[in-house]
Each structure stands twice: as structure tokens, then as C-alpha cells.
Amino acid sequence: MDAVRMHAASPESTAIVDAVLDYSRRRMLAADVPLDKPQSEAELNRLVGPTITDSGLGAARALSVFEHVLAPACLTTSHPLYLSFIPTAPTMAAIAFDLVVSASGLYGGSWLEGAGAVHAENEVLSWLASEFGLPDTAGGVFVQGGTIGNLSALVAAREAAKARLVAAGRDLPTRWKILCSVEAHSSNKSAAKIMDVDVLLVPAGDDGVLRAEGVREALLEHGDEICAVVATGGSTNFGIVDDIKGIAALKDEFDFWLHVDGAYGLTAMLAPEARHIFEGVERADSVIVDPHKWLFAPFDCCALIYRDPDSGRRAHTQHAEYLDILTDVDEFSPSDYSIQLTRRPRGLPMWFSVATYGVNAYREAVSAGLALTRRIADEIARRPELRLVRDPQLSIVVFEREGWERADYDRWSAALLDSQRAFVVPSSHAGRPNTRFAILNPLTTFEDLVGILDTMK
């Protein structure tokens, strides 16, 4: 029976596993993995043809289609010269252990079903909380990405604000508001839309930093309507960190939930030379950081950490008769701390990597990225045809080529990818086109980046 055949240990299954592991091994250990590039839907239809059929293609044919057609039509986001958006650069240990997680039939939603996995994930979360200066009692959960992390934290913030006002005998606002910078990540606005709350966009300074003065004015004007203030710990476009220290100090005057969206940049706290930039994060009520960015884990992974984990649990625990066995006990179940009930233990690849290499290796890698960013920024400033849009604070460099319009950047970017030299896409700021290097991968070199700059002459 085919139903049994798909699951049984058999010679056919052995051949499938061997073929997939062989491909994975070759891909992981290859020293010359290409950047690759997308293909049109029409071209993929021509090359691939139908793959979902009544009788199946067989594993050999399906794997061949993936290896030779589908995979080359996907950009290799972990390539050292993938420098756009926010790259990923998972360690060898993290990639390898991602296979183990999938192979082990693990469920990471409850302590009952995944105690060992949850224990390991919690150790990583406790380490991160300690790095951020949060108390020993802080904790949370690994979720899919920064969007889910921000949404879950902001839902918890609203529930905490409701409870605070009810306990004080005060009326709830007609509309809740979330305060953030105009340069905050779009996921915060998306979260507000899903929650059906308003967004107060406070102007940042010319340097992109949200400062306490603007936040204070908004808190005075809107008061209890504000259920959360979001400070950015490294903006996606520029890598700029808000005045977290000044904003956090406002908690001495106002009662509000401070959420730090550090999806990209909060990792920089691992580098001793960058810790001062994030002063104040230790007073946050919640933070997020994405290990699939600068913490060298595979997609997809976001660490959501609450100062008081019970605030997350009160907001997110789901109740149903079949879940009573989980919710009627005090055991730590990760699904109680975000909007996701079903979850894989996506923090395990990072746990294995940090356990394998040690924290010092991570500190060294982050420091190296910061140093390379400073070095290439100095090189850009030295070239008369180029101009830094802002001085980099973390590991993102945004710059312009004098005299270029958007079409020039488009042609240049396309030529880089067509030649498989690099993936560097155009961007813009204040209506002017530019481009940017997002530097995360420890294998990216100064010579690589200089070579790209040389193509802009």
C-alpha cells in the first residue's frame, strides 16, 4: 500500500534518505555555492513541467528537478556577497542540526511533549536575556520571525494596559494606540492593523533616532490611550538605534510598556564595543531579536523575551477542553507566550551552534562585522564619486553614487547579479535613490566590498 510505503523504513526509504543527505552534505560543504538568481514563471514552467502527478515522479527525479532547476532559481541568502535586505549566515553546526530537528519528530509547543527541546531553548533565551540586562526571571519563546514576535509582544502590552486600568478603576480608551518612530519597522504597523489599534508615528531626528522628547510629548497628549512604546534597536534600512536610554527613563514618570524591536540590531550587544549604544534595554518589558539574522541561525527564528513571562502567558494561553492537560499545570509551555499554538522547536539549531562553538566565537563574529562596516564606510567616504547617506552605527552602510538616477542603480544592480558578482539592490531615502551594504556574514571580505565599489565608476 502506498499509504504505508510513504512512512515505512524500507530500501526505497533508505535510498531517499541517502540521496537527500548526500545533496545536503554537498551543498553545505561546497566552497563555491553560487548566488543564483530568479527565473520567470514561464521559464520555470518550461524547464520543470508538472511535478504533482497521480503516480509521483519518484525521489530521484524530484530531487534532480530541485537541484538543477528550482534551487538555482532561488537566491542564496547566506552567500558572502548577498548584501541586500538583511542577509542570513547560519553556522555549519546550526544548518546541520536543523536536519536533526526535522528528522526527530519533535514538537516544541508544550513541556509535556517536548521537555528536552524546551529546556535547551530556554537556556538560550536566558543567555540572551542576561546579555540584554534583563532579570533572571525573564523568559519567552522562539517564534517564526520579527513580525510574529512584535505582534505577540504588543498584544501582551495591550492586555497588560487593560489590566492596569481596570485595577485602577479607570475607563478603557475608545481606541488603543501604539507609539513608534516613523522609521520603525513596517511589522509594527502591520501588528497595529491586525490588532485594530492606531499607530502614533513620532518623527525621528535627521539622524534617524527617536528621542525621549518626542515620546514624552506624545505620552502627555495621549496618556492611557498608549498601550505600548516601541523603540527600535537597529532599523532595517540604516541600522540606527533609537534613544532607548532616554525613552526608558520616561518610565520613571509614565506607566507604559516599553517594547524594543531589536530584530536585526540587538545582536550587536554581544560586541563589548557596541553595548553602550543600547543602554536602557535592561528596562524593557519585552524585546525581540532574530537569530536568523546576526545570530547565525537558519530561517526562521525570532527570540521573543518578556521581562515578566506571566504577562505573555496571560495574553496568549489558549483554552480548550483538549488543552486542559497543558493549561491546568504550571509547566512552561512555549505556546503560552505567543500567538502560535503549533510550533517546531526552532531555537534548537541556535542552541546546538552556541553550545558547539561557545559565546566568545559569537562575540568575535559580531565585532568583526562592525569593524568591516567601519572600514568600508571609510573607503566610501574617501571616494569623491560616492557619498555616505548616514554614518553607519551598526553593520549597514547606505551610500549614493553622485550623478546616478534610479535607472543607473537598477542597471548596475542587475549587472552585478547577472555576473554572479554580488546581490546589492537599490534603495532610497527622502526621495533620493541610493544603495546599501548589509554586512553580517563573517566570510564577507573588505576586498569583496571594494571590488563592488570599483564597478560604480
Side-chain angles (χ1 to χ4, degrees):
M1 292 178 57
D2 281 347
V4 173
R5 169 187 162 218
M6 292 191 298
H7 299 274
S10 66
E12 180 188 29
S13 297
T14 299
I16 292 172
V17 171
D18 287 345
V20 169
L21 291 178
D22 176 66
Y23 169 76
S24 300
R25 189 178 190 281
R26 287 186 284 109
R27 176 80 183 195
M28 290 167 58
L29 297 177
D32 57 349
V33 173
L35 264 168
D36 289 325
K37 59 182 181 178
Q39 298 285 351
S40 69
E41 183 175 2
E43 180 66 2
L44 289 175
N45 282 333
R46 184 186 72 81
L47 293 172
V48 176
T51 59
I52 306 302
T53 64
D54 287 344
S55 57
L57 299 182
R61 173 60 181 156
L63 184 58
S64 178
V65 167
F66 177 78
E67 179 176 1
H68 299 294
V69 182
L70 300 179
C74 301
L75 283 163
T76 303
T77 61
S78 57
H79 194 284
L81 292 174
Y82 182 107
L83 298 162
S84 295
F85 310 119
I86 302 292
T88 186
T91 66
M92 286 292 182
I95 298 170
F97 208 76
D98 208 29
L99 295 174
V100 174
V101 174
S102 295
S104 301
L106 302 178
Y107 174 68
S110 73
W111 186 270
L112 174 65
E113 296 158 286
V118 174
H119 174 83
E121 287 186 315
N122 284 349
E123 185 177 3
V124 179
L125 292 168
S126 294
W127 165 60
L128 290 174
S130 176
E131 290 289 328
F132 305 151
L134 296 172
D136 292 343
T137 51
V141 59
F142 287 100
V143 296
Q144 179 183 9
T147 297
I148 299 298
N150 282 333
L151 174 59
S152 298
L154 293 173
V155 167
R158 181 179 61 183
E159 294 307 300
K162 285 181 183 178
R164 173 170 54 82
L165 293 181
V166 169
R170 284 150 52 189
D171 293 335
L172 299 181
T174 303
R175 296 281 298 176
W176 292 103
K177 293 179 171 62
I178 293 169
L179 185 155
C180 63
S181 165
V182 294
E183 298 206 15
H185 192 269
S186 57
S187 62
N188 292 286
K189 298 162 197 164
S190 175
K193 183 177 181 180
I194 293 168
M195 294 167 64
D196 192 27
V197 303
D198 297 328
V199 179
L200 284 174
L201 295 177
V202 178
D206 291 340
D207 56 2
V209 175
L210 175 66
R211 290 187 167 81
E213 293 83 354
V215 175
R216 188 177 189 277
E217 290 177 9
L219 289 169
L220 284 170
E221 180 178 354
H222 298 279
D224 289 341
E225 294 178 329
I226 297 175
C227 62
V229 173
V230 179
T232 299
S235 60
T236 301
N237 199 24
F238 281 94
I240 299 298
V241 179
D242 287 340
D243 175 22
I244 301 174
K245 182 179 180 180
I247 296 169
L250 294 173
K251 291 172 74 70
D252 295 333
E253 185 178 356
F254 302 92
D255 193 355
F256 64 91
W257 180 292
L258 174 60
H259 174 63
V260 175
D261 177 0
Y264 147 64
L266 200 55
T267 297
M269 286 192 73
L270 269 64
E273 65 272 25
R275 289 189 66 84
H276 68 280
I277 300 172
F278 300 90
E279 287 183 18
V281 72
E282 69 278 358
R283 299 192 65 180
D285 296 285
S286 57
V287 304
I288 66 162
V289 64
D290 285 355
H292 64 227
K293 293 182 173 124
W294 212 354
L295 282 168
F296 314 122
F299 289 123
D300 47 26
C301 188
C302 167
L304 162 61
I305 304 174
Y306 299 100
R307 165 178 292 276
D308 174 15
D310 283 345
S311 61
R313 187 171 186 173
R314 285 191 292 268
H316 293 294
T317 297
Q318 296 188 32
H319 297 277
E321 290 178 347
Y322 79 99
L323 295 175
D324 286 346
I325 192 172
L326 304 179
T327 55
D328 289 347
V329 298
D330 292 329
E331 293 171 342
F332 188 98
S333 291
S335 291
D336 288 340
Y337 299 90
S338 77
I339 64 169
Q340 294 176 291
L341 181 62
T342 301
R343 66 177 295 273
R344 76 193 299 265
R346 53 176 41 86
L348 280 184
M350 182 183 173
W351 163 80
F352 183 72
S353 183
V354 179
T356 297
Y357 301 121
V359 172
N360 287 341
Y362 277 74
R363 295 195 197 284
E364 181 182 325
V366 175
S367 289
L370 293 171
L372 177 57
T373 302
R374 183 68 266 165
R375 189 179 177 193
I376 198 63
D378 291 343
E379 176 67 19
I380 290 169
R382 188 184 65 79
R383 297 188 176 212
E385 73 277 12
L386 302 178
R387 185 184 74 85
L388 288 170
V389 178
R390 282 178 180 159
D391 196 48
Q393 192 174 19
L394 298 179
S395 70
I396 294 175
V397 188
V398 183
F399 58 100
E400 297 178 351
R401 170 63 164 85
E402 294 292 341
W404 276 19
E405 302 295 335
R406 176 57 188 261
D408 298 300
Y409 288 99
D410 288 338
R411 284 191 293 270
W412 168 77
S413 174
L416 285 177
L417 187 57
D418 284 343
S419 65
Q420 292 288 280
R421 178 147 197 176
F423 180 60
V424 187
V425 299
S427 186
S428 65
H429 177 65
R432 291 172 58 93
N434 58 49
T435 191
R436 57 196 281 282
F437 291 153
I439 300 168
L440 297 185
N441 196 319
L443 298 181
T444 304
T445 68
F446 178 71
E447 290 72 24
D448 289 333
L449 301 178
V450 167
I452 295 170
L453 296 182
D454 288 343
T455 66
M456 303 183 81
K457 293 181 178 178

